[in-house]
Amino acid sequence: MPLPLLRSLQTGRRWRPGPVLRPAVLAAGLAATLLHSGHLAAQAAPAAPRPTQAVQARAGMVVSASAIASQVGRDVLAAGGNAIDAAIATGFALAVTYPTAGNIGGGGFMVVRFPDGRATTIDFRERAPAASRPHMFTDSSGAYSARLHHNSHVSVGVPGTVAGFELAHRKYGRMAWRGLVAPSAALADTGFVVPTGLAASLAGVRNKLGQYEASKAAYYKPDGAPYAAGERLVLRDLGQTLGRIRDAGRDGFYRGTTARLLAAEMQRHGGLITEEDLARYEAAEREPVRGTFMGYDIISMPPPSSGGVAMIEMLNILEGLPLKSQKPDSPQYLHWLAESMRRAFRDRAVHLGDPDFNAIPVAELTGKDYAATLRAGIVADKASVSSPADVRQGYESDETTHYSVVDKDGMAVSVTYTLEAGYGLGAVVDGAGFLLNNEMGDFNGKPGLTDSTGLIGTAPNVAAPGKRMLSSMTPTIVARDGQLVAVVGSPGGRTIINTVMQVVLNLIAFDMPVQQAVNAPRVHHQWLPDRLTVEREGFAPATLDALRAMGHEVRVGGQQGTAHSIAIDRKTGARLGAADPRDRDAGAAGHN
Ligand code: DON
């Protein structure tokens, strides 16, 4: 199917004569582009020094947002578990130690590459409950309600994490399920020492979580004070729920006590999820979306994520440009990035949604021919126009988490999962101790409603019973000549796709060691609003001036994503774990 191009993308505007482009000045090179701020909201403690070296191990590696959770996964690898086992154990541990995004009440995606080169994905994205309707986020007068869409029990999707882990384990795991959940049940039950990032984060979300009694009781002291770093946090109800999952598998979550508690929570707060919705939830195994870039194989998540498709579309556009003639912080390169992003995000908005409900032209969008057409519309030194109408796609928060696992045999697992906003809805299920997602906010707000406040109402991503909401999560694996090269991913709403792509570009086009590829500063463009956001630390003022002179609206923003990645040393085969320093509690844990 030929894909229509936006005419406006092919011509530039707002061009004004500017200074002659000059190579960016990065005084001390990328090593000086320190990104000190942490991922979490409140930033009380000084940031840890930024690592310049990845953690090395011969056999296995886990890198996640929580050093405690990475260690849980690493121990599973050391005990003979494979990368799937370790990913499941790490995921359950993050639900305890990284409550901002680690979860059993949310959902996500897992991309797996086996040692023989085959690959698969597990889709455990949340689904809309059976009572969902296209107009479910409108109030009694028919007006769109952001509160219903993002901040009410109606915004909770049927969680997928436990079913996704169970499916991955049943098909590809090696160790007994019990042993994968038990460490997390114990962590919650006996407590863990609160790390600095979590302490700061919980202090910062006191008002949000404080709206719900069960959240207050779980995450704050009896007098309402937050836990300080170094104190012990015990999560007893969560420990009980994890115990049920440990003992009964997915039924410990989707049936019986946990399901009853969740359904009762919904009834008390006007939510839609019923015990039947829970019992009917199924995760799905899907073929990965694949592309190639400069001789490397890119294996990523297909719809209902937009991530893999959009990233491969962008990489295809960029592959035809002389990337190696540029520095990764040069205005010319950043302009190419912005123009590729603009085009792919436009296609994301138009074409992508749940593949079980839409025909999606994946092959066309990820094809080299289509990319060539798009590339031809890029003007070397001036910004295109996104659209005559100032339309954006709506709210997405910045709180998800990604982790990467490689085992001794070379099996690689890339997992990104989320509650959507930080701590999801902020509501802990009373009696069950886990946080609920607010993922329904990733559906379009109202059919046909596309307006300048940032809403979009195109058909592929309108809510319907059982449907999965469109995601940007981009867990990705890179290989070459049959060998594993890297495992990458990130949180960050729509910025995820661009963050992951830039780590991949840094590794492949600029040959950076993995820790530098992760640390390097990043940019984001998402078609609309028509602006290029750059991380505060890392780009020289002259670079930003040069981009503005090309017609880009450049906005300096905070940190973009946290891409906990693993690369394989080409010569030695060592696993190189690069925790992203933008996440304060992150850690890489290897075993030899
Ligand atoms: O699935 C998505 O694309 C969003 N719900 C992810 C949200 C997110 O990344 C927030 N995090 N950092």
Side-chain angles (χ1 to χ4, degrees), residues 39 109 125 348 396-401 418 420-421 439 442 470-473 490-494 496:
H39 180 55
F109 304 117
R125 183 71 162 163
R348 174 191 189 274
E396 271 169 305
S397 81
D398 208 29
E399 304 294 346
T400 294
T401 193
T418 187
E420 163 48 13
E439 213 77 58
D442 278 359
L470 183 63
S471 173
S472 297
M473 292 186 284
S490 176
R494 270 165 289 173
I496 292 172

Side-chain angles (χ1 to χ4, degrees), residues 292 312-320 366-368 371 375:
T292 60
I312 290 168
E313 182 176 331
M314 291 188 282
L315 289 172
N316 284 339
I317 296 172
L318 290 163
E319 193 179 41
T366 56
K368 301 278 185 197
R375 192 185 314 116

Side-chain angles (χ1 to χ4, degrees), residues 36 68 174 211 228 238 251 396-397 399 406 410 438 452 457 463 510:
H36 284 303
I68 304 171
R174 184 188 289 162
Q211 299 173 79
L238 179 58
D251 283 356
E396 271 169 305
S397 81
E399 304 294 346
V406 175
N438 61 339
S452 59
F510 297 106

